[in-house]
Amino acid sequence: MAKLSRRQLLGSISALAAYSPVRNVIAQTTANEPEWTGFSICDSCNHVPSCGIEFKARGNNIISIKNWEQNPRHWLCSKGLSTLQRLYNPNRLLYPMKRTNPKGSEDPGWVRISWDEAYKTIAANMMATKKKYGADSVMFYAGDPKEPRPAIYRLAKYFDSVTFATESSAACRSGCMMGEQLNFGQPNNGATPSKDTKVFLILATNVWAQPLGWWEAIKAAKQRGCKIITIDTRRTKAAEIADVHLAPHVGTDSALVAGMARVMIKEGLINKDFINRWTHGFDDYAKYVEPFTPEHTQEITGVPAQKIIEAARLWAQGPGSFTLTTQSVSHNSNGVNNTRALLLLPILMGYIDIPGGVPFNKPPKGLSMAAFGLHPAMAEKKWWNSPAVKERRLDKEALPLWHDLQDQTSPNDLPEWVRDGKIKMFCGWGFNVNIWPQPQEYAEAIKNLDFAFSADYFYRKDSHKNLDIILPAAMNYERHAPFGWYGPNIAVRKPVKPLGEAKEDWRIALELGCIVDKPEHFFNGDPEKALDFILHQYEGGDLYKFRDALPSISKIPAPKPEFRKYETGHIRADGKPGFNTLSGKLDFFSDRAAKFGYPGLPVYKPMMPLTEEFDLRFINGTRKPYITHSKTRTDQPYLMELEDGLHVHLNPVEAQKRGIKEGDTVEIRSPFGGPVEAKVVVSIIVPEGVLDAQYGWLDKQNTQTLMNRDNRDPMSGYPSYFENPVSIKKKA
Ligand SMILES: Nc1nc2c(c(=O)[nH]1)N[C@H]1C(S)=C(S)[C@@H](COP(=O)(O)OP(=O)(O)OC[C@H]3O[C@@H](n4cnc5c(=O)[nH]c(N)nc54)[C@H](O)[C@@H]3O)O[C@H]1N2
Ligand SMILES: Nc1nc2c(c(=O)[nH]1)N[C@H]1C(S)=C(S)[C@@H](COP(=O)(O)OP(=O)(O)OC[C@H]3O[C@@H](n4cnc5c(=O)[nH]c(N)nc54)[C@H](O)[C@@H]3O)O[C@H]1N2
Ligand SMILES: [Mo]
C-alpha cells in the first residue's frame, strides 16, 4: 500500500486547513507547570464500553498516553494511540460559528460567534418551530458517537419531541438486536468463550472491528481446546483460526442455518427436551428446513455440503456460545431474518444460560444501555415507550415492527419527511450524511430545513456546509461524560479542560435544556451532576468518590451470576419462568413478527441478482484496524501513513480474469451510480465473485454513491450496504 511521504501528509493537512474555518490551534506551552496523571476512555471506534487510557499532562497539556492497566479494556490499538494527533489537530473546531451566506452557496461564510449567541439563536428556533409545527417536527440526532446520546435523549424528551434518531436507528447494531429481541425476547449478542465453552461460533464478526482483548480471549479459548466455527463470507483472521470456516455468499445465512438445522434434526443431534419445553414454533421450522438438503444448501450458499454436515456435528458437541457481528449480517434486504436464523443455532442445542453456553446476564438494575452511561431515570425510558407518545412517531407506518421494538425513530426517510414538511428543524451531534446510500439526498434535505445545527470535532464539508450553526465538541480527553460501564465495573474520567471554547456534548445538550425547559430538569447544565445522579441510583455510587479512587476502577452492586434463570423466573419482567417474547419461550416462529405482517419464521430470500455487466457482489463496509468510518483519516494523520485512499480487495482469480494487478487504479460502477475510483489489493481475503471495501472515503472515492437507497430490509429499514452488484474495470 502506498506510503505517504511527509510532504504529501503535510500537503493533505494544509489542503484541509484551506477550507477549514479554524486554523493555527496550538496547545498551550506549559513547561513550568506540574505534571499530573489523568484518565479517559477511547472513542475512536465507538466500541462500547471503550478502551481505557491513562495520560500524563503538564498544566492543561497532555504530553503522553498509555494503557490504563486497571481498566478491564486497556489494550490500545493504532487508532487509540494516535488520538493525541486528533486532540491537537490544527483543524479542530474550537468556536461556535454561524453562516453568513445563504444556504446552497459554495462558501457558507462562517464567522465566529459567542456561545451566548449560538444558544439564543438555536433556542429561539426550537421554540418557534415547536409553536408553528409541533415539537415532533424538531429532529434530534446523534451519529455514531454514542457517548453524547443520554443527554440528547433527555433534551428531546423534555422538549417533547419523539423524533429522536441515531446512527443506530439508521444502521449499525440494532438490526441484529431486532433478531435477538425476536428470538430471545431481549438483546443478547453472545459473549467470549468461558472456560466451559467447548465450541464457539464467530458469526460474521471481524477481529479488526473488535477491541484487542476480544482476540486475546478467542486465542486463549483455542489454546484450551475450544473448537471454533466461523461463519463469514471472507477469509478473515477469525476464519483462519477456525476449525471449520463456512463462507456463505452474502445474505444466504438463513439458508445455511436451515441446512445445518436439517442435518442436526435428521441425525438426532438437537436437544429435544429443551426444545419441547422452552421453545415455540419448532415444528414449523423443522418443516421449513426439510428442502434444505446439504446439496441444495450448497447451491444457494456456495458452502460445500460436506462442510455443512461437519459444522453441524461439531456444533452439537457443545456446550457452545457465540459472538455476533454488530452489523454486517443485518445490512442486506433480508438482514433481520438472516440474523434470526444464525441465532437459532444455540437454541436448537439448548445452549442457553448454562455453563459454557450463551449467558443471559442481568446488568446491574437500571443500567440498560452499556457504556452510554444511560440510566432509565436519566432517559425517562417510560416516556419514550408509552403508547400515546410512541403513536406519534414518523416511522410507525413504514416500519411497524421496528417501531414496536425500538425506542428510536428510524431516520432513513429524512429526505421524504423534509420534502413533505414533517421535519422542519435538525439538532445534530456528530452528524454525517455519508452513512447513507446516496448521501447527497440527505445533504439536500438538510439544506431545505428551516434551521439546522450540529456539534462536531471537525468541519465536514459534505454534512456541514448547509447548517446554520456549527458547535465545537470537546474530545474524549476533555470531558467527564459518560463513564465507561463494564458489567458492574465503572470507569470515571479525570479530564483536561477543553481547548478553545469547545464544550462537552452533554454540557451542550444540558445547557440548551436549561433554556428551552427548566434548569432543574437538566442538572443546571452540569454533566458531572448528571453522572453523579446516575451513580447515586446504586449503593455506594458517587462520581466524586469514584474519581478519588482512580486509577482503580469502582464497582456497583450486581446480581449474583446464576444459570438457567428461565426456570427460576429471573429473566422475564413479570417474574414468571420463561423468556420475554410474546410466546414466553424462545421463538423459532415469532408471533410478534407475524403480527406485523412479516414472516414468522426466519426464511431465506434471495439477494438482488448479479448480472452479466454487474458481476461482483459488493461488501461495502468491512472494517480495517486503522480506520473508523469516514473519520480518522486526516483527523489522525499517522493513520494515513497506513492507508491513504480507498483500497478494495479482489480475489486473484477475478483479478486475472480482468487483467488487473495489485496497485492498479480501477473504476467501480453499479446500476445506481459511479464511477468510484479505488486501488486494488489482490487478496484471498475475499472469495471469487466478491469485492470488499472499508467505506467512508469521500468525493470520487465515496462508495455510498453506488448504493441503492430503496433496497432496504423491510423489518428494520436498514440500507443494504452488503448486497449491491457492481462492475470493476481498470482505469484507462
Ligand atoms: N456503506 C456502508 N455504510 C455504513 C456502514 C457500512 O458498513 N457500510 N456502517 C454503518 C455503521 S455500522 C455506522 S456505526 C455508521 C457510522 O456512523 P457515522 O455517524 O458516520 O460515524 P462517524 O464517522 O464515526 O462519526 C460521525 C461524525 O461524528 C463526529 N464525532 C465523533 N465523535 C464525536 C463526539 O464525541 N461528539 C461529537 N459531537 N461529534 C463526534 C465525527 O467527527 C464525524 O464527523 O455508518 C453506517 N454506514
Ligand atoms: N477498526 C474499526 N473498528 C470498528 C469500526 C471501524 O470503522 N473501524 N466500526 C465500529 C462499528 S460502528 C461497528 S458497527 C463494528 C462492525 O463490526 P463487524 O460487523 O464485525 O465488522 P465488518 O468488518 O463490517 O463485518 C464483519 C464481517 O461480516 C462479513 N459479512 C458481510 N456480509 C456477510 C453475510 O451476509 N454473511 C456472513 N456470514 N458474513 C458477512 C464480512 O466479510 C466481514 O468480515 O465495528 C466497530 N469497530
Ligand atoms: Mo456501527
Side-chain angles (χ1 to χ4, degrees):
M1 241 165 261
K3 202 175 153 204
L4 234 63
S5 71
R6 193 178 140 75
R7 224 176 82 222
Q8 280 169 319
L9 189 64
L10 293 175
S12 70
I13 298 173
S14 59
L16 260 180
Y19 71 69
S20 167
V22 192
R23 268 172 246 172
N24 304 327
V25 180
I26 315 157
Q28 302 94 314
T29 7
T30 49
N32 297 325
E33 292 177 85
E35 230 175 76
W36 57 282
T37 303
F39 299 89
S40 182
I41 298 166
C42 185
D43 64 340
S44 271
C45 64
N46 289 297
H47 291 306
V48 270
S50 313
C51 307
I53 303 177
E54 180 178 323
F55 63 81
K56 281 258 173 303
R58 207 175 292 130
N60 197 48
N61 196 11
I62 298 183
I63 49 182
S64 67
I65 65 171
K66 63 172 192 164
N67 296 345
W68 174 0
E69 296 290 341
Q70 293 84 346
N71 191 303
R73 289 249 171 100
H74 64 253
W75 296 275
L76 295 180
C77 72
S78 56
K79 301 183 293 311
L81 287 169
S82 57
T83 42
L84 279 192
Q85 285 194 328
R86 186 183 69 176
L87 182 68
Y88 295 125
N89 188 314
N91 292 307
R92 262 191 77 176
L93 286 169
L94 291 181
Y95 306 98
M97 275 175 313
K98 72 170 178 194
R99 70 179 313 116
T100 52
N101 292 332
K103 293 189 190 186
S105 314
E106 209 24 59
D107 172 17
W110 296 112
V111 296
R112 180 175 163 181
I113 55 172
S114 66
W115 273 102
D116 191 46
E117 182 181 345
Y119 278 154
K120 280 193 178 133
T121 312
I122 291 168
N125 275 283
M126 284 171 79
M127 299 314 279
T129 312
K130 183 178 187 170
K131 197 161 162 210
K132 203 158 163 200
Y133 304 105
D136 296 338
S137 71
V138 179
M139 180 179 209
F140 294 83
Y141 178 87
D144 186 49
K146 290 168 175 101
E147 300 193 349
R149 293 181 187 179
I152 307 169
Y153 241 140
R154 194 170 180 89
L155 175 61
K157 189 256 150 180
Y158 280 103
F159 184 71
D160 197 34
S161 169
V162 74
T163 318
F164 174 83
T166 68
E167 140 285 337
S168 308
S169 56
C172 202
R173 218 199 103 50
S174 304
C176 288
M177 194 198 283
M178 279 177 86
E180 295 153 21
Q181 289 172 307
L182 292 174
N183 285 24
F184 297 147
Q186 66 188 76
N188 188 340
N189 63 336
T192 48
S194 78
K195 65 175 185 4
D196 298 311
T197 307
K198 296 285 184 282
V199 194
F200 192 70
L201 286 171
I202 300 180
L203 302 175
T205 303
N206 183 352
V207 177
W208 292 338
Q210 292 285 328
L212 294 179
W214 183 80
W215 183 238
E216 296 302 316
I218 300 295
K219 278 196 307 189
K222 175 98 180 167
Q223 245 163 22
R224 287 196 299 268
C226 173
K227 301 287 184 207
I228 292 169
I229 302 171
T230 296
I231 304 184
D232 193 310
T233 303
R234 296 184 314 148
R235 185 166 157 183
T236 59
K237 250 175 99 151
E240 295 204 326
I241 203 176
D243 295 275
V244 181
H245 172 209
L246 306 176
H249 298 321
V250 165
T252 63
D253 297 80
S254 44
L256 176 66
V257 173
M260 286 175 71
R262 187 181 179 280
V263 173
M264 290 159 70
I265 294 167
K266 295 279 171 213
E267 298 192 3
L269 303 173
I270 53 169
N271 185 337
K272 284 212 187 90
D273 290 345
F274 181 85
I275 288 175
N276 288 340
R277 197 145 168 232
W278 296 111
T279 73
H280 170 66
F282 173 73
D283 292 344
D284 291 337
Y285 189 63
K287 211 181 286 159
Y288 176 74
V289 305
E290 189 56 40
F292 289 85
T293 59
E295 294 68 29
H296 180 55
T297 308
Q298 172 174 341
E299 260 168 51
I300 299 174
T301 63
V303 178
Q306 202 46 46
K307 275 209 164 172
I308 296 167
I309 299 170
E310 191 190 344
R313 290 179 184 161
L314 181 59
W315 177 238
Q317 288 171 21
S321 181
F322 70 91
T323 294
L324 172 69
T325 172
T326 46
Q327 52 89 27
S328 63
V329 174
S330 70
H331 285 148
N332 56 58
S333 57
N334 197 34
V336 175
N337 278 334
N338 283 321
T339 313
R340 285 173 66 201
L342 290 168
L343 296 170
L344 290 182
L345 288 169
I347 300 177
L348 280 160
M349 293 309 308
Y351 299 155
I352 301 293
D353 215 21
I354 57 169
V358 181
F360 272 58
N361 284 336
K362 297 212 83 164
K365 199 164 179 309
L367 270 179
S368 55
M369 287 172 83
F372 300 21
L374 185 63
H375 189 276
M378 167 81 184
E380 311 266 11
K381 287 284 255 194
K382 273 205 194 103
W383 184 82
W384 289 99
N385 289 306
S386 66
V389 169
K390 244 184 147 164
E391 184 63 28
R392 291 164 23 198
R393 263 172 49 183
L394 289 174
D395 56 0
K396 183 171 178 275
E397 299 296 321
L399 297 170
L401 181 64
W402 168 273
H403 174 268
D404 186 49
L405 287 172
Q406 298 280 328
D407 57 4
Q408 299 179 12
T409 295
S410 164
N412 294 339
D413 283 332
L414 182 64
E416 288 73 21
W417 292 344
V418 174
R419 183 198 62 201
D420 298 344
K422 292 178 180 164
I423 298 292
K424 292 288 184 181
M425 179 172 173
F426 181 87
C427 308
W429 276 258
F431 170 59
N432 177 16
V433 295
N434 287 306
I435 71 167
W436 281 289
Q438 306 301 339
Q440 71 289 350
E441 295 193 26
Y442 294 82
E444 183 64 21
I446 293 295
K447 190 177 98 190
N448 293 331
L449 288 166
D450 289 358
F451 191 90
F453 79 87
S454 192
D456 208 301
Y457 292 164
F458 291 94
Y459 180 71
R460 314 279 189 201
K461 167 179 61 102
D462 292 355
S463 305
H464 295 161
K465 65 175 182 246
N466 285 313
L467 295 177
D468 294 275
I469 285 185
I470 304 176
L471 301 174
M475 288 188 182
N476 62 321
Y477 293 102
E478 303 171 321
R479 56 194 190 203
H480 296 274
F483 46 76
W485 171 49
Y486 318 81
N489 300 307
I490 299 281
V492 300
R493 309 174 193 227
K494 189 173 175 194
V496 290
K497 290 193 190 68
L499 278 187
E501 289 183 7
K503 283 192 193 220
E504 288 197 44
D505 293 304
W506 279 45
R507 184 175 288 285
I508 297 170
L510 297 176
E511 286 182 346
L512 266 175
C514 294
I515 306 172
V516 297
D517 187 66
K518 295 193 180 94
E520 59 266 36
H521 289 156
F522 289 92
F523 311 97
N524 290 310
D526 184 348
E528 287 180 78
K529 285 197 189 126
L531 291 174
D532 195 44
F533 162 82
I534 295 170
L535 292 177
H536 269 96
Q537 312 296 314
Y538 304 95
E539 198 189 310
D542 183 302
L543 176 70
Y544 307 95
K545 235 172 52 197
F546 285 7
R547 196 179 303 155
D548 287 345
L550 290 171
S552 294
I553 300 288
S554 297
K555 267 196 193 322
I556 55 175
K560 233 177 51 231
E562 194 193 324
F563 291 112
R564 293 190 174 84
K565 293 185 286 292
Y566 45 87
E567 289 176 349
T568 54
H570 286 133
I571 286 182
R572 277 174 66 106
D574 60 10
K576 290 190 186 145
F579 298 87
N580 288 306
T581 50
L582 286 186
S583 69
K585 297 182 172 179
L586 298 171
D587 280 346
F588 284 93
F589 185 97
S590 169
D591 295 334
R592 193 183 290 274
K595 181 173 132 187
F596 294 105
Y598 299 101
L601 293 174
V603 294
Y604 164 69
K605 197 184 89 193
M607 299 289 99
M608 205 192 292
L610 300 180
T611 65
E612 208 171 303
E613 184 182 0
F614 302 107
D615 57 349
L616 293 170
R617 185 80 62 195
F618 191 28
I619 307 187
N620 178 20
T622 48
R623 273 47 173 174
K624 294 207 175 148
Y626 41 80
I627 298 177
T628 304
H629 311 150
S630 53
K631 54 187 185 189
T632 55
R633 314 303 200 295
T634 48
D635 303 359
Q636 284 144 276
Y638 158 66
L639 300 172
M640 292 282 282
E641 291 193 33
L642 302 171
E643 191 163 314
D644 61 351
L646 174 65
H647 288 76
V648 292
H649 291 134
L650 185 66
N651 184 276
V653 174
E654 300 289 357
Q656 202 182 17
K657 258 200 258 173
R658 294 169 170 75
I660 292 173
K661 288 196 215 55
E662 174 100 4
D664 280 352
T665 301
V666 291
E667 289 182 336
I668 310 169
R669 288 182 172 77
S670 82
F672 314 100
V676 163
E677 216 173 279
K679 283 219 164 78
V680 166
V681 176
V682 177
S683 171
I684 55 162
I685 196 170
V686 276
E688 288 173 48
V690 173
L691 190 72
D692 91 290
Q694 162 106 34
Y695 89 102
W697 296 94
L698 302 181
D699 303 320
K700 64 181 181 195
Q701 302 182 21
N702 191 339
T703 51
Q704 303 293 51
T705 59
L706 298 166
M707 303 277 101
N708 178 1
R709 232 198 108 209
D710 299 325
N711 184 31
R712 304 191 204 157
D713 182 341
M715 294 174 102
S716 63
Y718 273 19
S720 300
Y721 302 127
F722 300 164
E723 172 164 354
N724 216 61
V726 291
S727 70
I728 163 174
K729 213 174 77 196
K730 198 162 151 175
K731 200 181 168 200

